[in-house]
Amino acid sequence: MSAPNKNFDPVMPAALDPANLQANVDAALAAIAGAEDLATLKQVRLDHTSDRSPLALANREIGALPPSAKADAGKAVGAARGRVNQALKAREAELKEAERERILTAERVDVTMVNDREPVGARHPIHSISEHIADAFVSIGYGVVEGPELESEWFNFDALNINRDHPARTMQDTFFVGSADSGAVLRTHTSPLQIRTLLDQAPPVYVVCPGRVYRTDELDATHTPVFHQVEGLAVDKGLSMVDLKSTLDWFAATMFGEGIVTRLRPSYFPFTEPSAEVDLECFACRGESVGNPDRPCRTCSSEGWIEWGGCGMVNPRVLQSCGIDPDEYTGFAFGMGIERTLMFRHGITDMRDLVEGDVRFTTAFGMDS
Amino acid sequence: MRAPLSWIKEYAALPEGVTGRDLAEKLIGIGLEVETVDEISISGPLLVGRVLEIEELTEFKKPIRYCQVDLGGTVNGIICGATNFVVGDLVPVALPGAVLPGGFEISARKTYGHISDGMICSGRELGINDEYDGILVLTEGEVGQDAGPVLGLDDAVLDIAVTPDRGYCLSIRGIAREAALAYDVAFTDPASLVPEMPSDGPVREVDLQYGADRFTTRVLTDVDPDAPSPAYMVRRLNQCGMRPVSLAVDITNYVMLELGQPLHAFDGTKLTGPIQVRRPRDGEELETLDHVDRVLDAADVVIADDSGAVALAGVMGGLTTEIDEASRSVVLEAAHFQPALVAATSRRHKLSSEASRRFERGIDSDVALAASNRAAQLFAALASATVGGLVDVDRREPIMSIEMAMDMPSRIVGVDIPEETVRAILANIGCSVEGETVTPPTWRPDLIAAIDLVEEVARVVGYEKIPSRGPAMGTGLGLSDSDRLRRQLRRRPAELGLIEVLSYPFVGEGELDQLGLPADDPRRVAVRLANPLSDEQPLMRTSLLPGLLAGARRNVGRGAESVHIYEYGQVFRDVETVDAPVAPAGSRPADDVLDEMLSGLPRQPEHLGFVLCGDWSQAGWWGVGRPVDWSDAVRLAALVARAAGVEVEVAQDAHSPWHPGRCARLSVAGQVIGHAGELHPDVVAAFGLPVRSCAGEMDLSILLDAASPVASAPRVSTFPVAKEDVALVVDEGLAADAVREALRSGGGSLLESVRLFDVYSGPQVPEGKKSLAFSLRMRADDRTLTDEDIAAVRESALAAAGELGATLRG
Ligand SMILES: [Zn+2]
């Protein structure tokens, strides 16, 4: 280090010589450009910008210059250091970018490897379709009602106008509980829920009743002793078979697609009168398979219609058993088998798949159906 | 009921060319359940031939005949393997070019050394019956004539499932009436075609005490026991699915099919004294025609003579008075029994017959005499019988008439049906209508109220006339809070990775034993079925676990390494003997009667259960798997409860079928809702499941009652959190959660959360002690906590824990 130039000696120290400055800048820039990674660049920064670097030393010489020369020298050194710092910054950004690129490239994985570490759940389709049906009816103002599976005989039979001598009331069809005269059975249909509802609520009543029911059938490809139904009931002033038919057509369209309708055939049920069987227009072929051997339909066996359930106007005797005046109120009711609906809707060919609880079957249906 | 089209056409003037399928469609439209239409499909030449010569070919292993058959213009040589015919017999011959049912094509071919120029057919080959041992020898027909009409092959047979309200359709008479109604054509009542038969001569007296309001006997003598049934009768019985037996039996069956009136023929020489219609005497027995000895019930109706019961009225005759191949004297019974009594008798004796099926549904109360006359006519004509005396005890009440407003059908159907149409339809089905008073015909005992008449009008008008508009809109407010909560609870395990299954709710004592339930466990108090599907499983489930464990075993058996399944559904608790009174129908039962009916039923809460086997997370390219453990089961149960907005309290328990040291009791507000944890190793072994399988079961009904559907919003503070960790030394047996709860309540409102993050026991802590490390998070909602605040919270939390004996780990 030189002593301060108190004499205003115009002699320029070597460090501040422009050529020298330029050489130092060139050397720094070359080193910066040559740095291939951040660690090297860090060393370059030390070499060329630390207190002991040539440019720092040059900066220190400025203090010894006469005031007239200080400004120019300061500008020159500042410019030189500025160029070096700028180059450092730019190079650092470049190298960081390159480093990130390298890391990201190195971190590439094969995303086709499947992660099935955690189990994935699923709903049983019988329950998810029951909720689906209930939701549809809730959207038109119906309530949802459930009830006990082990039911009083009065609710399951008598109140529904199924008298003591009806063939359904034998051990061939019905599971009796305890002794045959215990007064209780495993409900053979969801219709006792109609009775429970009507005893409970004053009309107007609009409810949908999903539930599990029992008949003494052996399990095979098309029968199961334990199965599910969904039943609808409306009791109000002025309801007629037009309301029944309209509601069934709406239900068919909701479940199977716009334009799908139902067909009613006269039938007999003790708890409705008039009564009808409900056929569903085939949603798969819309009737185009009928008489058309080139386009057979497996869903409807090329008949154009699928048997879906039963329905009718609530028998006045049923209303009376619930303390409702049949001269003031009329009602309609309908019921469908859930298993049957699922089977033709999803092409299930064996009832046993629905009852055995094999997780592979349920998994196929996911969370909704 | 199987009904041949040709027979129906005798009474209903159906349009020309109506086929079985056409008629079936019309009948379905009017309310008869036609299940099938049997149309025998034979095409090509099928002629009546006469056997002229039979050459027995003996060089084969079985008898083979080479026959010359006269077919009118030609004589064909035909090979035949049957031997039940002789020279001169008339036989059906299918000629080359004919196609038999099943697509069996006939051609001239060389067989057994001869050209066989056609085939002599059996009943089976023609699709008429199941007889295939011999060929069908014809009793009528002209040589060379088309055999179709002779065999009834031009006919179609409709098989109709008759609903309980249409008993009259268990006859050709009733079905023809419906056919005429469906086509709106004339109907001729076959009962009106029956001539009045002589009714003098010997009689069989009747003592009618019980069970019938009409009872007739008719005596027939000099019956030729060898007279055969005529071909038409045999053919029609066959078509209707009844086996021809003997002329006497065939006549009674034929008249029953024709008119719907069951008849019974007694051998008159085997009856002693007058006929009594009465209740059985105490301990009275009867051997029925099916060779079953029956002890009679006091409520049965029997036909008896001086020797005792000779028939189960309306159901089946007795063996001692059966017509046999030598019977020359017949006593014919035609009666109208009370439907309910026949139904009950048939049910008690588990004996259903053609007669009981008709009486149960209710036959025409006014056809007994016509049927008796018709049978007498046939006996006289076919068995050269002498028609003797008639006894007719008639105690019928007049038919009740019904009041119906003539606009009621329009109101119920929703379609305008003019009054004159309503009147015309009612008249067509046989009612007499005067003003608004309608009297149903004798064959319609099902018509007792106005709504029954509305149904008649509706079905004749046709359901296809009912239009469709928008659905009937209800007045509901959408899913209720409890509906939504129930759904969330039911759905939650699936969202958490479990697969829902359904199992039958039947269990056996064996499964309860396998669960290791103690003798006094409430889950052993189970409802027993009177008629279970399997004697191994006569009980209704009291827990979901037997079904779930069996389901897990089935899945493991089918190759699943890990199984996570759940089920929800009703269980049947606390009642072994169900005793629910049954009120009369027709009016609302009094409240106390309703209560009694409902309280007789078992409690049926909805449970949710699950079973976890194998790994929870499986091994893979990411590393090792993690086996399920007791805490997964407890966590699942807690998360399900949280779906209802409820925090479960967890406590140590020892409860079957769980591992006695790894079982959590789950409670809500002090009420136990279930258990979760690792299964007892014995249970795991009994059900063949992977070791350390886990399970849980909880009562959703209690959870729903405790649920808080509308959560109150927490205040979310934006001030900084302060964290402190504390390690406490406590007795080995002290529940970690009790310590956590003490810290939480001791810390007060500034203590945001307390979490157990480590447990240690070993050389660093004294014998019999363990160390629990908790992290405390503290925060105020109005300021940043000061060091003094933090210290105060910490101290008061520790003080509360200290009361449980917890000391800070040094
Ligand atoms: Zn189709």
Side-chain angles (χ1 to χ4, degrees):
Chain A
M1 191 192 291
S2 345
N5 191 347
K6 294 182 173 126
N7 302 319
F8 303 102
D9 188 351
V11 176
M12 186 67 77
L16 290 172
D17 175 62
N20 221 342
L21 271 179
Q22 185 60 47
N24 282 330
V25 168
D26 288 348
L29 292 182
I32 289 166
E36 290 297 334
D37 55 49
L38 286 167
T40 314
L41 189 68
K42 194 177 174 191
Q43 190 54 51
V44 170
R45 185 189 301 272
L46 279 175
D47 293 348
H48 295 276
T49 65
S50 68
D51 289 351
R52 312 183 70 87
S53 68
L55 285 174
L57 293 176
N59 196 45
R60 246 184 258 171
E61 299 287 353
I62 294 172
L65 291 181
S68 60
K70 274 187 179 169
D72 283 351
K75 219 178 256 175
V77 173
R81 295 179 85 185
R83 284 175 65 200
V84 171
N85 280 333
Q86 205 174 356
L88 271 173
K89 207 167 150 188
R91 184 61 181 157
E92 185 181 16
E94 261 175 49
L95 287 176
K96 277 192 171 160
E97 179 62 29
E99 176 74 359
R100 189 158 56 232
E101 282 300 322
R102 195 187 58 73
I103 289 170
L104 290 177
T105 305
E107 285 178 351
R108 177 185 186 278
V109 295
D110 176 359
V111 296
T112 65
M113 296 189 299
V114 175
N115 179 340
D116 53 0
R117 186 172 355 190
E118 300 290 325
V120 177
R123 294 297 305 281
H124 198 283
I126 284 178
H127 281 150
S128 46
I129 199 173
S130 297
E131 287 186 5
H132 181 158
I133 292 170
D135 283 343
F137 280 96
V138 166
S139 80
I140 56 166
Y142 283 55
V144 185
V145 173
E146 297 180 10
E149 293 164 17
L150 201 162
E151 182 61 283
S152 147
E153 266 194 79
W154 189 81
F155 286 87
N156 193 74
F157 292 132
D158 299 76
L160 288 160
N161 197 37
I162 304 171
N163 63 41
R164 283 306 156 78
D165 305 307
H166 195 278
R169 296 180 80 151
T170 66
M171 292 221 197
Q172 270 94 57
D173 292 308
T174 301
F175 285 108
F176 284 83
V177 171
S179 62
D181 56 3
S182 67
V185 296
L186 294 183
R187 66 180 177 196
T188 58
H189 45 186
T190 41
S191 306
L193 291 170
Q194 292 185 24
I195 305 302
R196 287 178 171 264
T197 307
L198 292 175
L199 286 172
D200 225 40
Q201 302 177 21
V205 165
Y206 292 87
V207 290
V208 61
C209 317
R212 173 140 90 160
V213 301
Y214 300 80
R215 306 256 172 100
T216 55
D217 291 319
E218 294 283 345
L219 174 65
D220 63 23
T222 52
H223 296 86
T224 160
V226 182
F227 57 105
H228 297 75
Q229 289 183 335
V230 65
E231 184 135 340
L233 169 73
V235 175
D236 205 342
K237 287 182 179 166
L239 290 177
S240 72
M241 291 182 83
V242 174
D243 296 300
L244 168 61
K245 174 71 162 69
S246 305
T247 305
L248 288 169
D249 281 349
W250 170 85
F251 183 24
T254 303
M255 293 299 293
F256 296 98
E258 208 172 332
I260 295 295
V261 296
T262 59
R263 176 178 74 177
L264 303 188
R265 281 181 289 122
S267 186
Y268 170 78
F269 307 107
F271 36 92
T272 49
E273 193 161 19
S275 301
E277 302 283 347
V278 184
D279 293 340
L280 176 75
E281 183 184 9
C282 179
F283 56 90
C285 71
R286 297 201 175 218
E288 279 178 34
S289 64
V290 181
N292 189 353
D294 300 338
R295 281 202 53 191
C297 178
R298 281 203 310 184
T299 304
C300 65
S301 310
S302 299
E303 307 227 337
W305 296 92
I306 306 162
E307 286 182 26
W308 197 19
C311 72
M313 300 302 289
V314 179
N315 193 313
R317 281 161 262 197
V318 173
L319 294 177
Q320 278 163 347
S321 287
C322 299
I324 294 171
D325 180 1
D327 291 331
E328 190 177 356
Y329 292 101
T330 53
F332 62 78
F334 54 87
M336 281 84 190
I338 299 286
E339 278 81 357
R340 193 176 152 64
T341 304
L342 268 179
M343 285 175 93
F344 63 68
R345 191 166 180 258
H346 297 273
I348 300 164
T349 51
D350 196 324
M351 181 70 86
R352 284 168 285 220
D353 289 338
L354 280 167
V355 306
E356 282 187 341
D358 193 307
V359 295
R360 293 167 298 171
F361 179 78
T362 308
T363 298
F365 290 87
M367 292 297 286
D368 288 293
S369 57
Chain B
M1 170 81 193
R2 291 174 55 82
L5 176 62
S6 61
W7 205 349
I8 295 170
K9 278 179 168 170
E10 279 186 22
Y11 314 125
L14 301 186
E16 203 59 39
V18 166
T19 65
R21 297 202 167 275
D22 297 339
L23 178 59
E25 203 159 301
K26 281 280 196 183
L27 290 177
I28 288 169
I30 205 162
L32 288 190
E33 247 176 73
V34 184
E35 294 195 316
T36 56
V37 179
D38 296 344
E39 281 172 322
I40 291 170
S41 50
I42 293 177
S43 64
L46 178 70
L47 303 184
V48 176
R50 187 180 299 281
V51 181
L52 298 179
E53 270 175 43
I54 298 175
E55 181 191 343
E56 306 281 354
L57 306 180
T58 50
E59 63 266 45
F60 304 103
K61 280 181 190 156
K62 50 181 180 171
I64 295 295
R65 291 173 157 190
Y66 184 56
C67 311
Q68 300 301 319
V69 184
D70 180 4
L71 293 162
T74 62
V75 174
N76 289 20
I78 299 173
I79 291 285
C80 181
T83 56
N84 68 320
F85 57 97
V86 297
V87 169
D89 275 351
L90 291 174
V91 292
V93 179
L95 293 179
V99 182
L100 300 188
F104 181 36
E105 234 171 288
I106 306 297
S107 57
R109 60 197 179 96
K110 186 158 185 185
T111 179
Y112 296 107
H114 294 272
I115 298 288
S116 184
D117 211 0
M119 186 173 91
I120 307 176
C121 304
S122 70
R124 168 114 130 197
E125 283 153 351
L126 295 174
I128 293 172
N129 56 30
D130 277 343
E131 302 286 330
Y132 55 90
D133 301 342
I135 60 114
L136 197 70
V137 177
L138 303 174
T139 51
E140 55 184 343
E142 299 290 321
V143 170
Q145 173 199 352
D146 182 359
V150 178
L151 293 164
L153 295 182
D154 52 342
D155 208 354
V157 179
L158 284 67
D159 194 357
I160 299 171
V162 176
T163 51
D165 59 330
R166 299 209 185 284
Y168 68 104
C169 285
L170 288 171
S171 67
I172 301 299
R173 180 189 185 217
I175 292 168
R177 193 187 295 279
E178 291 290 304
L181 195 60
Y183 279 95
D184 197 16
V185 296
F187 168 70
T188 309
D189 186 349
S192 71
L193 302 175
V194 179
E196 186 112 352
M197 297 301 288
S199 54
D200 40 341
V203 295
R204 181 67 60 163
E205 292 300 341
V206 174
D207 173 12
L208 173 55
Q209 302 171 11
Y210 166 67
D213 58 10
R214 183 104 190 255
F215 198 96
T216 70
T217 58
R218 169 108 243 170
V219 172
L220 301 160
T221 51
D222 307 323
V223 177
D224 174 4
D226 299 322
S229 299
Y232 77 89
M233 189 176 280
V234 169
R235 185 172 69 238
R236 282 183 166 171
L237 290 172
N238 270 326
Q239 283 180 311
C240 294
M242 298 193 78
R243 202 167 48 88
V245 179
S246 65
L247 179 59
V249 174
D250 291 353
I251 287 175
T252 57
N253 284 335
Y254 186 82
V255 174
M256 175 179 72
L257 291 171
E258 186 178 82
L259 299 178
Q261 168 72 56
L263 298 170
H264 187 68
F266 298 94
D267 184 326
T269 60
K270 297 176 184 169
L271 282 173
T272 52
I275 278 186
Q276 306 151 30
V277 187
R278 59 165 171 81
R279 291 176 189 272
R281 306 223 160 87
D282 214 18
E284 196 166 16
E285 293 184 23
L286 171 68
E287 185 177 5
T288 40
L289 289 173
D290 54 355
H291 299 273
V292 176
D293 273 313
R294 298 175 189 276
V295 179
L296 301 170
D297 185 278
D300 291 342
V301 186
V302 294
I303 313 299
D305 68 359
D306 289 350
S307 71
V310 294
L312 205 48
V315 181
M316 192 174 277
L319 214 48
T320 58
T321 53
E322 186 184 13
I323 296 278
D324 60 38
E325 57 276 8
S327 299
R328 297 187 149 272
S329 163
V330 168
V331 174
L332 199 63
E333 164 211 305
H336 182 245
F337 296 107
Q338 283 179 37
L341 292 178
V342 174
T345 302
S346 157
R347 203 168 55 211
R348 268 194 298 275
H349 293 282
K350 296 189 170 57
L351 179 60
S352 179
S353 64
E354 292 287 338
S356 71
R357 283 175 54 223
R358 287 174 172 79
F359 282 121
E360 268 174 33
R361 286 172 168 78
I363 62 161
D364 186 346
S365 58
D366 196 37
V367 80
L369 202 52
S372 180
N373 280 330
R374 175 66 167 138
Q377 179 193 23
L378 291 170
F379 269 102
L382 302 173
S384 56
T386 305
V387 179
L390 174 80
V391 173
D392 181 358
V393 181
D394 187 354
R395 297 194 190 138
R396 287 175 295 155
E397 304 277 341
I399 301 229
M400 297 283 282
S401 58
I402 302 166
E403 297 297 316
M404 185 188 75
M406 289 294 145
D407 68 345
M408 185 174 174
S410 299
R411 234 166 1 92
I412 299 293
V413 181
V415 172
D416 185 47
I417 307 167
E419 183 174 331
E420 55 273 26
T421 308
V422 172
R423 290 179 185 279
I425 289 171
L426 292 175
N428 263 340
I429 64 164
C431 295
S432 70
V433 187
E434 274 180 53
E436 300 207 324
T437 304
V438 183
T439 309
T442 52
W443 60 88
R444 294 300 304 267
D446 59 306
L447 303 181
I448 51 178
I451 194 70
D452 304 328
L453 302 175
V454 170
E455 180 170 64
E456 294 299 305
V457 174
R459 72 183 180 98
V460 176
V461 166
Y463 287 4
E464 71 283 355
K465 303 266 166 51
I466 299 170
S468 195
R469 56 187 187 214
M473 299 293 284
T475 51
L477 299 174
L479 285 178
S480 68
D481 287 342
S482 66
D483 287 340
R484 283 188 303 103
L485 279 173
R486 188 180 292 113
R487 282 197 181 183
Q488 282 168 29
L489 290 169
R490 290 169 171 181
R491 184 184 173 87
R492 192 77 183 110
E495 292 167 342
L496 294 169
L498 272 63
I499 292 172
E500 188 191 349
V501 297
L502 289 174
S503 33
Y504 287 172
F506 308 126
V507 297
E509 264 114 7
E511 287 153 282
L512 302 178
D513 292 342
Q514 283 182 318
L515 291 184
L517 302 187
D520 60 349
D521 191 291
R523 285 166 292 177
R524 285 194 181 271
V525 182
V527 175
R528 187 174 294 270
L529 294 175
N531 51 336
L533 276 186
S534 143
D535 290 335
E536 253 97 78
Q537 296 186 312
L539 306 176
M540 294 306 289
R541 68 183 176 197
T542 54
S543 157
L544 299 177
L545 292 178
L548 277 165
L549 292 169
R553 175 177 50 202
R554 182 176 302 124
N555 278 288
V556 168
R558 290 179 179 181
E561 282 89 16
S562 298
V563 177
H564 320 105
I565 54 176
Y566 83 104
E567 174 170 16
Y568 61 83
Q570 294 176 13
V571 299
F572 306 83
R573 295 294 291 265
D574 302 347
V575 170
E576 217 156 323
T577 316
V578 180
D579 189 11
V582 182
S587 63
R588 185 189 169 104
D591 287 350
D592 57 327
V593 177
L594 272 178
D595 279 353
E596 227 183 311
M597 285 196 282
L598 296 175
S599 60
L601 300 177
R603 200 162 63 80
Q604 297 174 57
E606 179 167 324
H607 277 203
L608 186 148
F610 56 85
V611 171
L612 311 173
C613 307
D615 284 343
W616 176 257
S617 61
Q618 61 180 335
W621 52 262
W622 51 81
V624 298
R626 184 178 73 70
V628 297
D629 68 38
W630 61 271
S631 68
D632 292 317
V634 177
R635 174 173 180 273
L636 262 167
L639 288 179
V640 168
R642 205 171 290 165
V646 173
E647 290 294 329
V648 292
E649 299 138 26
V650 176
Q652 201 80 27
D653 203 352
H655 188 75
S656 298
W658 283 274
H659 186 305
R662 298 184 169 189
C663 170
R665 181 176 63 234
L666 311 168
S667 321
V668 169
Q671 202 178 358
V672 177
I673 62 161
H675 292 82
E678 184 180 315
L679 287 165
H680 195 292
D682 292 350
V683 175
V684 170
F687 282 89
L689 298 178
V691 292
R692 303 229 175 269
S693 288
C694 296
E697 178 167 17
M698 55 212 285
D699 184 333
L700 293 187
S701 304
I702 302 178
L703 259 184
L704 275 170
D705 289 342
S708 45
V710 186
S712 50
R715 275 207 271 176
V716 179
S717 168
T718 53
F719 288 92
V721 68
K723 301 175 193 169
E724 288 271 318
D725 290 348
V726 295
L728 300 172
V729 176
V730 300
D731 283 346
E732 185 71 58
L734 186 59
D737 202 54
V739 181
R740 189 190 61 82
E741 185 53 35
L743 289 168
R744 203 198 55 75
S745 63
S749 61
L750 295 180
L751 183 54
E752 189 176 77
S753 69
V754 181
R755 177 170 180 268
L756 176 71
F757 71 89
D758 197 19
V759 180
Y760 173 79
S761 56
Q764 308 293 316
V765 293
E767 187 77 12
K769 300 276 186 186
K770 63 184 173 187
S771 163
L772 303 173
F774 292 94
S775 65
L776 315 181
R777 293 168 68 88
M778 293 165 260
R779 184 156 22 207
D781 56 16
D782 56 350
R783 65 186 195 281
T784 301
L785 293 181
T786 62
D787 288 351
E788 291 75 33
D789 289 333
I790 294 166
V793 170
R794 184 175 187 273
E795 287 317 311
S796 59
L798 288 175
E803 289 180 19
L804 298 176
T807 54
L808 266 179
R809 189 171 167 192

